[in-house]
Amino acid sequence: MSQADRFAPAGGLSRNALIVGSVVVLHVAGLWALQSGLLRRAVEVVVPAELLSEIITPPAPKVAPPVAPPAPTPPPPRAAPKVQAPRPTPRPLA
């Protein structure tokens, strides 16, 4: 027996063919599981729908109360208009 024959494959499929075949079989099995809905059922078991439907509302932002505008200053008192005494009517000269 020569040195090269010692490490040669014993016959049958090569190592690369086995790897490619197993990858193809795993992909076909995964696609079948997706198509038949097995993964959907697994997700429902892992993540219950109750947890997905719980809605958490964020806390409302703290808004400072609006500052009231300063009260308007009252207008200065108006000076009472001077009431002028009526002028006497002129008398005719004639």
Side-chain angles (χ1 to χ4, degrees):
M1 189 192 281
S2 68
Q3 191 71 4
D5 292 335
R6 180 192 273 180
F7 298 107
L13 297 175
S14 69
R15 181 173 183 252
N16 289 342
L18 286 173
I19 292 172
V20 169
S22 63
V23 167
V24 169
V25 168
L26 287 174
H27 277 89
V28 168
L31 290 173
W32 173 80
L34 283 173
Q35 187 68 25
S36 66
L38 292 178
L39 291 180
R40 184 181 309 138
R41 287 185 225 139
V43 168
E44 288 176 0
V45 170
V46 173
V47 181
E50 297 168 2
L51 293 179
L52 294 176
S53 64
E54 183 179 342
I55 298 174
I56 300 173
T57 56
K62 295 181 180 178
V63 177
V67 179
T73 57
R78 292 185 180 177
K82 294 182 182 178
V83 178
Q84 295 179 348
R87 290 185 184 181
T89 56
R91 294 191 181 179
L93 292 178

